[in-house]
């Protein structure tokens, strides 16, 4: 039995909305995982996994071919676990062959089919389910805990009854009607009630188009996709071929007890396979039949299953049933990658990262993936969401959580969002360095952020707030606070000292939270102190501590069994579930007088009893198997000397509504037992706590040691004890430390480091000191100053605008090919928010610069540019040299996500003099390279080189960060860039091989809105019917092959969408263009094939 740090949510009384397969695009979990070459076994944990598509995608994308892949699949939904076992059985069966159409149809229908028309499907389904019920599990599958297998068999038994024609009460037509009505209601949610039915249908089509990501598709393809998706969501109940006789609703998609359809309205077979390709992969003949998207998805699934079966012997599946947060604290395995799905939207990002971080490998390449779709309800940008949900700024996250974001959020997203109305983002987190040989001041460094976290975790009841308003943060509890604070203290080598300092925060808590604080403080202390004694003290001293602990107040587990007839839940639950989600629980201990007069049908306002009530947020509920009668067991930890036995009674309420749910009765009537759950961050570490340590003898004090360390958002301030001589003749304060030097192990071109070694070299002694910090600092900005006699202070500036060392050593991305210029304007416009931000925002200005740069390259054919800061400080000779010289290498290419990329050779003017000063390059070599790279025949023309201007220091730093960060994503293989003879550049060079790409907004403008604007601009200039297939006017004279401007452009005779200089360019580009070339005749959709 384990109590989760996340607030308890009731899922047992009535089934929540069901997600039987993925809600968003399936991703390769190991995409950003840089495995060591010697890695043989890779373990991946999928928390709250709804679909096995991610596992399949990861399997087929895995190029390292380790000895084994261990997939641990966890879920709290029994039906989902039952589906997972069945799917693995089907596609792992020796008889299954995905190349055969009948086998592919079978797995597709069981996985995604709403109803089955073929009797063969039902027969095969019954055979496979009966095998599972007879314990014939696949050889590569394990189920934990073992006792849940019996519960799974009950689900499989219900499925068999639903496909048994003699016993089935499966009303196909009624269920399909209910499904269509529920889907329409869900999709129309939020529409104005005043619009007409025709306007509602129009908006419905627009939403479906946006959901499928086809707003910018050519009209025939767009129409076919929307028709198929619209039919799946809303029209399956109309005109079933052959009627309903002999057909069955897919039993795996029904609620097993009530046989109701409770699948979420946005769930479809297509979601995992988006975005759809804009080429002839969508079969025109299937489009005419209304199943082009289904056919495309089936082909993708078929390829995945073929590759899976080739690697099947190396794959092991372990399925876990239960709460995913609890699982992270009870498992012992360590994982290389953890996918958390959308768990953060349900229980809060802090709970997820703290729990997943406990199970994540300490290797730097390990990753955690977290999806969120409701982040915009909590904050306007992703940066604000992360900082609000984690109660700390980005610069403090490595210390507080031990993690960093793989993709820097302050410069926007590096890929286009899937949809402008339902923006699901995936945040990738990686391990960071820990403090080494350094013990920062815990409370002084983290005090502001711990206060914010405490306010979240110990806040009074948050009544009348919906899940959408607070994005899972309402599930933070006192245990959440002590888990996060404890893990941070461990990383800062503070352990017990950090916990002792945290006690100062209790003075600022609400009175109703003090009992919970006392309970968990005592629990942490009792769990941590014996381990410290065993690790650092002699046996006699450890025994004395244990004897003392036996006499102090302990923490007990209080429990009560409450029969269902005392629970006032069903009536209000059914009334509010649709709008407010599942009940989220809090136990409130009230005086007997208040409890006796408490109405169970009205909200409880705890503010009226703030001085006499006590809130307990970490509770455990266990329901019996029959959810219509029986009882529920409620358990919660409480300090033994609480003093409430004769005065208080307990009641569990829903924090969203304040309504009482489960009355527990007087505290004295509750059963008690020892609370044996261990504190997961009680590791004493290698250092004895300050208050237990004896001062060392004077002759053993190191000549150089760290006295204190303060971490802030922008820097580290390290106070070092050392002996140095002041041999100056004049008086006055020292402005430097005599004899002190340092070195860092950074590798150019990286300018940031985690480690530094101090060397104090004096005539009588030589002293060294090495330490490590989690957030890297800029190597060249280290400053050392005398502080007081015998001590110096070291100032390390955090590398906020510089890539991390790990990013320079990461695996680079490869360029995928030429970019389709017709989509460029959409990509550039999606850099900007749907609600325009201030024009003074630095990132907004950088996005405008990127748009103008792309436009200048395409309209005026400029490939040489300069960038300068408007108000940059002038040098002594008043010369103002640009910050950057850029040479652009055409053509425009695309990355693997389809974003346009301008490949650049970039000269960093600020870096050149530093290289000369350090003796790493001569002025002659720099000038020679500049003349060779930044000059060609086109640049010798008389026209001037355009110069872009940044208006602030922040803009300049942000641009430099983007260029340097993008340089880390480019490989050093010159064969990849045959048209760029200068690459790769030397590590000690002012030149960077980099690129510029759109910095997409977190909440971009809708594609439909952008596309409409482009068509309106095109109005009058082109009168042809197929405007959607026409190119944007500014691009019409750009050759799709050589990317050069030409006044005599010739258009492709088939698609009319691209232009060429001549027939030679067209033939050269045909191998790439033929996959997207379409032919339009009247209103008929025909895809040309070669």
């Amino acid at each position: 039995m384990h109590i989760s740090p996340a607030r308890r949510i009731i899922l047992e009384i009535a089934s929540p909305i069901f997600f039987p397969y993925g809600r968003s695009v399936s991703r390769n979990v190991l995409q950003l995982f840089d495995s060591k070459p010697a890695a043989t076994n890779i373990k991946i944990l999928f928390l709250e996994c709804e679909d096995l598509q991610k596992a399949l995608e990861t399997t087929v994308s895995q190029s390292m071919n380790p000895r084994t892949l261990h997939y641990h699949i966890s879920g709290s939904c029994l039906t989902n676990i039952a589906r997972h076992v069945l799917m693995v059985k089907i596609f792992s069966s020796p008889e299954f062959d995905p190349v055969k159409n009948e086998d592919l149809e079978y797995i597709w229908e069981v996985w995604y089919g709403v109803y089955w028309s073929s009797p063969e499907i039902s027969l095969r389904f019954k055979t496979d389910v009966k095998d599972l019920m007879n314990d014939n599990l696949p050889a590569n599958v394990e189920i934990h805990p073992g006792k849940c297998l019996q519960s799974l068999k009950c689900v499989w038994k219900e499925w068999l009854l639903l496909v048994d024609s003699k016993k089935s009460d499966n009303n196909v037509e009624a269920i399909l009607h209910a499904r269509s009505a529920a889907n329409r209601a869900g999709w129309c949610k939020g529409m104005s009630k005043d619009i007409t039915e025709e306007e509602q249908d129009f908006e419905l089509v627009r939403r479906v188009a946006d959901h499928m990501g086809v707003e910018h598709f050519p009209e025939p393809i767009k129409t076919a996709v929307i028709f198929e998706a619209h039919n799946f969501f809303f029209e399956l109940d109309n005109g079933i071929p052959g009627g309903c006789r002999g057909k069955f609703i897919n039993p795996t998609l029904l609620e097993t007890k009530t046989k109701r359809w409770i699948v979420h309205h946005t769930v479809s077979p297509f979601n995992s396979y988006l975005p759809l390709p804009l080429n002839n992969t969508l079969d025109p003949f299937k489009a005419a039949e209304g199943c082009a998207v289904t056919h495309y998805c089936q082909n993708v699934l078929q390829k995945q299953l073929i590759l899976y079966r080739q690697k099947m012997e190396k794959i092991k599946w372990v399925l876990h049933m239960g709460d995913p947060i609890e699982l992270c604290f009870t498992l012992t395995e360590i994982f290389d990658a953890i996918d958390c799905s959308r768990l953060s939207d349900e229980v809060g990002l802090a709970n997820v990262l703290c729990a997943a971080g406990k199970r994540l490998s300490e290797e730097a390449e390990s990753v955690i993936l977290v999806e969120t779709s409701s982040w915009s309800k909590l904050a306007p940008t992703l940066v604000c969401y992360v900082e609000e949900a984690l109660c700390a700024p980005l610069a403090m996250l490595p210390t507080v959580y031990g993690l960093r974001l793989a993709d820097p959020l302050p410069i926007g997203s590096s890929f286009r969002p899937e949809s402008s109305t339902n923006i699901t983002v995936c945040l990738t987190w990686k391990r960071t360095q820990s403090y080494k040989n350094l013990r920062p001041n815990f409370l002084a460094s983290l005090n502001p952020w711990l206060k914010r976290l405490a306010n979240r975790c110990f806040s009074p009841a948050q009544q009348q707030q919906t899940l959408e308003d607070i994005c899972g943060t309402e599930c933070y509890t006192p245990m959440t606070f002590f888990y996060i604070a404890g893990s941070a203290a461990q990383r800062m080598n503070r352990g017990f000292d950090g916990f002792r300092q945290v006690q100062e925060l209790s003075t600022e808590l609400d009175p109703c939270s003090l009992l919970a604080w006392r309970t968990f403080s005592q629990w942490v202390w009792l769990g941590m102190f014996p381990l410290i004694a065993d690790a650092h003290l002699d046996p006699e001293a450890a025994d004395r501590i244990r004897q003392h602990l036996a006499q102090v107040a302990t923490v007990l587990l209080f429990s009560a069994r409450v029969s269902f007839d005392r629970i006032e839940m069903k009536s209000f639950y059914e009334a509010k579930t649709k709008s407010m989600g599942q009940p989220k629980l809090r136990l409130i201990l009230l005086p007997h007088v208040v409890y006796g007069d408490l109405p169970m049908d009205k909200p409880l306002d705890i503010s009226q009893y703030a001085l006499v009530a006590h809130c307990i947020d970490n509770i455990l509920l266990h329901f019996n198997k029959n959810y219509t009668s029986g009882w529920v067991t409620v358990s919660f930890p409480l300090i033994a000397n609480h003093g409430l036995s004769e005065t208080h009674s307990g009641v569990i309420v829903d924090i969203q509504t304040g309504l009482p749910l489960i009355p527990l009765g007087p505290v004295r009537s509750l059963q008690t037992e020892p609370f044996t759950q261990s504190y997961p961050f009680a590791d004493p570490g290698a250092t004895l706590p300050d208050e237990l340590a004896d001062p060392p003898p004077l002759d053993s004090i190191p000549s150089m040691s760290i006295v204190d360390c303060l971490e802030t958002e922008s820097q580290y301030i390290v106070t070092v004890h050392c002996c140095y001589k002041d041999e100056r003749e004049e008086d006055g304060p020292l402005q430097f430390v005599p004899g002190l030097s340092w070195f860092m192990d950074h590798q150019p071109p990286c300018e940031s480091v985690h480690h530094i070694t101090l060397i104090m070299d004096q005539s009588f002694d030589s002293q060294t000191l090495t330490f490590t910090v989690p957030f890297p600092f800029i190597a060249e900005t280290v400053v050392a100053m005398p502080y007081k006699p015998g001590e110096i202070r070291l100032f390390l500036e955090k590398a906020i605008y510089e890539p991390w060392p790990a990013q320079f050593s990461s695996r680079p991305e490869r360029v995928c090919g030429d970019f389709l210029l017709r989509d460029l304007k959409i990509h550039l416009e999606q850099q900007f928010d749907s609600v325009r931000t201030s024009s003074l925002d630095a990132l907004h200005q950088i996005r405008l610069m990127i748009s103008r740069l792309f436009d200048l390259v395409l309209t005026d054919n400029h490939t040489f540019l300069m960038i300068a800061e408007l108000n940059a400080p002038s040098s002594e000779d008043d010369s103002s040299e640009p910050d950057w010289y850029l040479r652009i290498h055409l053509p425009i290419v695309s990355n693997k996500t389809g974003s346009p990329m301008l490949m650049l050779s970039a000269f960093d003017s600020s870096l050149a003099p530093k290289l000369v000063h350090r003796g790493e390059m001569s002025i002659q070599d720099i000038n020679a390279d500049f003349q060779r790279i930044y000059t060609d025949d086109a640049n010798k023309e008389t026209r001037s080189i355009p110069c872009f201007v940044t208006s602030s220091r922040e803009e300049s730093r942000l641009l430099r960060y983007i260029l340097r960060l993008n340089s880390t994503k480019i490989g050093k293989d010159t064969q990849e860039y045959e048209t760029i003879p200068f690459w790769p550049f030397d590590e000690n060079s002012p030149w960077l091989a980099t690129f510029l790409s759109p910095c997409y907004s977190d909440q971009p403008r809708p594609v439909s809105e952008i596309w409409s604007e482009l068509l309106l601009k095109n109005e009058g200039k082109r009168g042809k019917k197929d405007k959607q297939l026409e190119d944007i006017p500014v691009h019409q004279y750009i050759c799709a092959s050589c990317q050069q401007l030409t006044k005599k452009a010739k258009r492709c005779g088939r698609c009319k969408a691209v232009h060429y200089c001549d027939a030679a360019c067209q033939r050269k580009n045909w191998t790439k263009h033929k996959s997207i070339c379409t032919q339009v005749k009247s209103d008929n959709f025909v895809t040309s094939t070669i």
Side-chain angles (χ1 to χ4, degrees):
M1 181 172 58
H2 189 98
I3 294 182
S4 169
R7 188 180 303 279
R8 181 62 157 89
I9 303 175
I10 290 185
L11 303 175
E12 292 88 346
I13 297 299
S15 299
I17 297 299
F18 184 36
F19 292 91
Y21 33 85
R23 292 182 248 185
S24 57
V25 175
S26 179
R27 293 182 175 89
N28 171 21
V29 176
L30 296 178
Q31 180 176 331
L32 296 179
F33 173 73
D34 300 324
S35 174
K36 294 180 179 179
T40 56
N41 300 307
I42 296 178
K43 291 186 177 182
I44 306 173
L45 175 61
F46 294 88
L47 292 176
E48 203 60 33
C49 181
E50 297 167 347
D51 195 1
L52 297 182
Q53 255 297 325
K54 289 182 181 179
L56 283 182
E57 182 74 18
T58 302
T59 301
V60 302
S61 302
Q62 172 68 333
S63 58
M64 294 174 287
N65 291 320
R67 186 177 302 160
T68 57
L69 274 170
H70 292 256
Y71 290 138
H72 288 248
I73 312 293
S74 86
S76 55
C77 177
L78 190 63
T79 305
N80 263 342
I81 297 294
R83 276 175 54 87
H84 296 337
V85 177
L86 176 61
M87 299 305 168
V88 174
K89 173 176 175 51
I90 293 174
F91 56 65
S92 299
S93 171
E95 295 79 19
F96 181 81
D97 184 0
V99 177
K100 296 180 179 179
N101 289 335
E102 58 271 23
D103 286 359
L104 180 63
E105 179 188 8
Y106 174 55
I107 186 65
W108 178 269
E109 289 298 327
V110 176
W111 202 327
Y112 299 112
V114 175
Y115 67 86
W116 300 337
S117 300
S118 170
E120 288 77 12
I121 301 292
S122 302
L123 290 175
R124 291 185 64 173
F125 175 80
K126 287 191 285 186
T127 301
D128 286 329
V129 172
K130 287 178 180 178
D131 282 347
L132 293 175
M133 293 185 65
N134 293 329
D135 295 327
N136 293 326
L137 296 175
N140 58 346
V141 171
E142 294 181 10
I143 299 176
H144 295 284
K147 62 182 180 181
C148 82
L149 181 59
Q150 191 59 40
S151 299
L152 291 175
K153 289 182 178 181
C154 293
V155 175
W156 294 327
K157 181 179 179 181
E158 293 291 336
W159 289 355
L160 288 178
L161 293 176
L162 289 172
V163 293
D164 190 330
S165 58
K166 297 180 180 180
K167 301 179 181 179
S168 175
D169 58 352
N170 193 350
N171 190 330
V172 175
E173 188 173 4
I175 291 176
L176 291 180
H177 279 310
R179 172 186 179 275
S180 296
N183 283 353
R184 178 172 287 273
W187 279 93
C188 293
K189 185 178 180 180
M191 291 186 188
S192 173
K193 297 180 180 179
D194 299 329
I195 63 176
T196 64
E197 185 176 349
E198 182 179 356
E199 291 172 333
Q200 186 184 79
D201 290 340
F202 179 82
E203 174 63 15
L204 198 60
V205 169
R206 192 201 66 77
R207 291 187 178 188
V208 171
D210 183 71
H211 178 79
M212 299 296 292
V214 295
E215 278 286 2
H216 64 297
F217 275 38
E219 194 63 28
I221 303 178
K222 174 181 173 181
T223 301
V225 171
I226 294 176
F227 172 80
E228 185 174 351
H230 189 277
N231 180 71
F232 174 82
F233 286 121
F234 314 115
E235 304 294 339
L236 285 187
D237 57 330
N238 292 334
I240 300 176
C244 297
R245 186 177 181 81
K247 296 178 175 59
F248 297 95
I249 295 290
N250 187 340
T252 72
L253 304 182
L254 294 177
E255 204 278 320
T256 54
K257 295 294 182 182
T258 64
K259 290 30 172 218
R260 294 184 302 124
W261 182 276
I262 55 173
V263 177
H264 194 269
H265 65 275
T266 61
V267 170
S268 77
F270 319 129
N271 294 355
S272 297
Y273 302 92
L274 297 176
L276 298 175
L278 185 57
N279 54 33
N280 61 359
T281 305
L282 298 178
D283 192 324
F285 300 104
K286 297 294 182 181
E289 299 173 4
C291 58
V293 181
T294 301
H295 185 258
Y296 162 76
C297 296
Q298 288 175 343
N299 285 341
V300 174
L301 178 62
Q302 183 181 48
K303 294 175 182 177
Q304 291 176 339
L305 293 175
I306 291 173
L307 292 173
Y308 165 80
R309 292 186 62 81
Q310 294 174 1
K311 303 179 179 181
M312 187 169 59
E313 294 181 356
K314 300 179 180 179
I315 298 172
K316 181 179 180 180
W317 302 85
V318 182
L319 292 99
H320 302 268
M321 178 65 198
D323 182 274
I325 300 297
E326 291 181 18
L327 179 70
C328 290
F329 291 106
T330 54
L331 279 178
T332 57
E333 288 94 342
I334 297 298
F335 297 92
D336 301 291
I338 301 177
D339 181 88
C340 303
S341 189
R342 299 194 188 187
L343 195 57
S344 62
D345 288 345
E346 300 172 11
V347 300
L349 184 60
N351 276 325
V352 170
L353 292 186
C354 183
K358 186 68 177 174
R359 297 272 63 85
L360 189 67
S361 167
E362 292 295 333
E363 299 295 333
E365 66 269 9
S366 56
V367 294
I368 296 176
L369 281 78
V370 181
E371 290 183 4
T372 171
S373 59
S374 61
W375 64 268
S376 59
K377 303 296 183 180
L378 184 65
T381 66
L382 276 172
V383 172
C384 295
Y385 159 74
V386 170
E387 294 183 339
E388 184 69 21
L390 297 181
C391 302
L394 294 181
M396 300 299 296
L397 297 185
T399 297
V400 180
Y401 294 91
L403 301 167
R404 68 174 177 89
L405 282 162
D407 292 321
L409 297 182
I411 63 171
S413 175
S414 59
F415 54 87
R416 281 179 60 195
E418 303 162 12
S419 167
S420 58
T421 56
N422 182 21
I423 303 175
T424 298
V425 297
C426 182
L427 302 176
T428 302
W429 301 82
K430 288 200 169 189
R431 277 288 187 205
T432 62
Q433 300 273 353
S434 297
Y435 279 105
K436 294 180 181 178
N437 298 329
L438 192 61
R439 301 180 68 208
N441 189 313
F442 181 77
L443 194 59
S445 298
L446 303 184
N447 187 50
W449 328 124
L450 290 177
K451 284 183 178 180
R452 285 175 58 181
L453 182 62
N455 288 336
R456 282 280 190 185
C457 297
F458 290 91
S459 61
Q462 303 168 7
Q463 297 184 11
Q464 305 301 330
Q465 285 187 289
T466 64
L467 175 64
E468 289 79 6
D469 290 333
I470 41 188
C471 202
T473 58
E474 80 283 9
C475 290
Y476 294 174
T477 67
M479 193 179 282
T480 301
F481 174 83
F482 282 101
Y483 275 20
I484 294 174
S487 63
Q490 275 193 356
R491 279 185 292 277
M492 298 174 75
N493 300 317
R494 277 295 176 180
F496 187 83
D497 293 328
F499 166 68
R500 177 177 49 81
Q501 294 177 20
V502 163
Q503 299 304 310
E504 299 178 16
L505 300 178
S506 63
T507 58
E508 302 181 19
L509 294 181
D510 193 89
C512 64
S513 299
L514 290 178
L515 182 61
W517 180 280
R518 286 180 55 209
T519 297
F520 286 104
S521 293
Q522 189 78 346
W523 174 57
V524 173
W525 191 83
L526 292 172
M528 184 179 294
F529 217 95
L531 295 178
I532 295 174
D534 292 339
H536 297 288
L537 303 181
D538 60 78
E540 292 185 3
D543 288 339
R544 288 196 300 270
I545 287 179
R546 276 191 287 270
Q547 292 174 8
H548 172 70
L549 293 179
Q551 300 175 6
V552 302
T554 59
V555 177
L556 300 177
L557 186 69
F558 287 71
S559 62
R561 176 182 287 188
V562 183
S563 61
F564 268 38
D565 56 9
R566 294 177 57 197
I567 300 177
E568 302 289 340
M569 180 178 297
K570 188 174 182 180
S571 58
F572 82 86
Y573 177 79
E574 292 180 349
K576 74 181 187 60
T577 297
K578 293 182 180 179
S579 60
M580 302 197 69
Q582 306 296 322
K584 302 169 184 66
L585 307 182
R586 159 174 284 171
L587 169 63
I588 300 180
L589 301 177
L590 295 165
H592 293 324
V593 176
V594 179
Y595 179 83
D597 298 333
L598 185 67
M600 298 298 290
D601 58 346
K602 294 181 180 179
L604 171 63
D605 185 3
I606 192 176
S607 61
Q608 298 180 12
Y609 316 105
L611 298 178
V612 293
H614 302 278
C615 297
I616 305 295
D617 291 311
N618 295 100
I619 56 180
L620 182 69
L621 267 68
H622 177 70
F623 290 83
N624 70 333
K625 295 182 179 180
N626 187 351
Y627 298 143
T628 59
S629 63
W631 63 86
V632 57
T633 302
V634 181
S635 306
F636 60 93
L638 194 63
I639 194 168
N641 59 350
H642 52 76
L644 304 177
S645 296
E646 304 301 325
T647 59
H648 283 64
S649 297
V651 61
I652 293 179
V653 303
D654 176 14
I655 66 169
Q656 298 178 120
T657 62
L659 286 171
L661 305 183
I662 307 175
L664 301 186
V667 175
R668 64 174 177 268
S669 66
L670 305 181
Q671 297 179 353
T672 61
E673 60 181 277
F675 184 51
T676 57
Q677 181 172 319
S678 60
Y679 179 59
F681 302 100
D683 182 8
T687 306
L688 195 64
D690 293 341
E691 60 187 35
L692 295 180
D694 296 326
L698 293 177
D699 57 355
S700 68
I701 298 178
S703 56
M704 190 178 233
S705 61
I706 294 177
V707 177
D708 189 26
C709 174
L710 175 66
E711 179 182 359
T712 69
E713 286 187 68
S714 59
Q715 64 178 346
Y716 296 96
I717 304 175
V718 184
T719 304
V720 181
H721 166 80
C722 64
C723 300
Y724 61 91
K725 290 184 177 181
D726 183 2
E727 299 179 348
R728 301 174 307 156
E729 296 181 358
E730 69 275 8
D731 296 329
L734 274 172
Q735 300 300 318
F736 66 97
V737 180
L740 180 68
S741 61
W742 53 81
F743 70 86
M744 290 148 286
D745 59 349
H746 75 289
Q747 299 294 324
C750 180
E751 298 177 353
S752 63
V753 290
H754 290 278
H755 319 280
I756 183 172
T757 298
L758 305 180
I759 304 174
M760 179 62 74
D761 190 7
Q762 303 222 344
S763 58
F764 61 88
D765 195 8
S766 181
Q767 312 162 37
T768 62
L769 176 66
T770 302
F771 60 87
T772 302
V773 292
F775 200 106
F777 57 91
I778 301 296
E780 65 180 20
T781 62
V782 177
V783 175
M785 298 288 290
Y787 177 49
K788 59 184 181 182
E791 292 184 2
I792 65 173
R793 270 193 170 173
L794 208 65
F795 298 88
L796 312 177
E797 179 188 348
K798 285 186 175 180
I800 305 296
Y801 290 101
E802 170 67 14
W804 286 38
Q807 291 172 310
F808 277 94
S809 60
S810 62
R811 186 172 56 213
E813 301 176 1
R814 296 187 65 87
V815 173
C816 290
D818 291 347
F819 177 75
L820 186 63
L821 291 176
R822 58 172 288 124
D823 291 338
L824 179 60
K825 199 67 176 178
I826 293 176
H827 284 265
L828 296 178
E829 284 296 320
Q830 285 204 300
Q831 295 183 107
F832 304 102
D833 299 342
S834 53
V835 178
R836 293 289 184 175
T837 57
S838 170
S839 59
L840 300 178
D841 179 72
L843 180 57
H844 181 80
Q845 294 299 319
I846 295 297
R847 287 165 168 164
L848 288 174
M849 179 186 294
I850 292 174
S851 295
R852 290 195 295 266
L853 195 150
F854 270 94
D855 189 63
L856 186 66
V857 170
L858 294 177
T859 55
D860 296 337
N861 201 26
H862 279 290
T863 55
F864 291 87
L865 302 167
M866 298 181 295
I867 300 177
E869 185 178 338
L870 181 62
N871 300 316
S874 301
S875 59
E876 295 181 359
D877 58 358
D878 292 331
S879 61
S880 55
E881 185 172 2
D883 297 333
W884 292 93
Y885 293 89
L886 304 181
R887 176 169 182 175
I888 300 170
H889 305 285
L890 296 175
I892 297 176
V893 295
S894 68
N895 60 15
K896 59 186 177 184
T897 63
S899 299
M901 301 170 64
L902 273 181
M903 310 306 293
L904 306 173
S905 291
F907 180 84
D908 186 353
S909 299
S910 65
L911 186 58
K914 297 175 184 177
L915 295 173
V916 174
H917 177 73
R918 296 196 295 260
E920 295 170 354
M921 285 194 76
S922 66
I923 297 179
Q924 293 76 12
D925 290 339
I926 291 177
N927 289 335
D929 285 347
F930 188 90
Q931 293 298 323
R932 176 175 60 91
I933 298 172
Y934 204 68
T935 305
D936 69 353
D937 294 337
N939 196 29
K940 293 178 181 179
E941 298 179 4
T942 57
R943 64 176 181 172
S944 60
I945 297 177
C947 183
F948 287 81
V949 174
T950 56
S951 58
S952 67
R953 181 59 180 161
E954 185 180 2
E955 284 183 40
S956 300
R957 295 177 69 185
L958 191 60
L959 176 65
R960 187 175 192 269
Y961 177 47
I962 292 173
L963 290 172
R964 289 182 60 79
L965 180 67
N966 288 346
S967 72
T968 68
K969 302 177 182 179
I970 292 181
K972 298 180 180 180
D973 184 2
T974 56
Q975 295 180 357
E976 184 177 346
Y977 311 104
E978 296 178 355
T979 59
I980 308 178
F982 317 113
W983 291 8
F985 296 115
D986 187 73
E987 292 179 344
N988 292 313
S989 170
W991 286 94
L992 281 177
T994 184
F995 65 88
L996 278 177
S997 199
C999 299
Y1000 297 105
S1001 167
D1002 299 329
Q1003 298 190 73
R1005 299 176 60 202
V1007 174
S1008 57
E1009 177 185 320
I1010 299 172
W1011 192 252
S1012 299
E1013 286 185 6
L1014 298 178
L1015 292 177
L1016 286 175
K1017 291 180 181 178
N1018 208 18
E1019 197 74 34
K1021 296 182 179 181
R1022 300 170 186 249
K1024 295 189 177 182
K1025 188 175 182 179
D1026 51 335
K1027 286 189 174 76
Q1028 282 80 0
L1029 289 179
E1030 293 290 339
D1031 219 16
I1032 307 306
V1034 73
H1035 306 149
Q1036 61 179 332
Y1037 299 116
I1038 299 171
C1039 177
S1041 177
C1042 65
Q1043 298 287 309
Q1044 299 296 320
L1045 292 174
T1046 176
K1047 296 181 179 179
K1048 298 181 179 180
K1050 297 183 179 181
R1051 199 162 49 181
C1052 174
R1054 289 179 178 269
C1055 66
K1056 317 290 187 188
V1058 295
H1059 299 77
Y1060 297 100
C1061 300
D1062 48 34
C1065 277
Q1066 184 182 24
R1067 286 193 294 270
K1068 183 178 179 181
N1069 191 56
W1070 176 243
T1071 56
K1072 299 179 180 178
H1073 176 61
K1074 67 180 180 179
S1075 63
I1076 57 175
C1077 187
T1078 59
Q1079 180 181 12
V1080 179
K1081 294 182 179 179
S1082 300
D1083 293 330
N1084 297 325
F1085 168 45
V1086 179
T1087 302
S1088 63
T1089 56
I1090 302 300

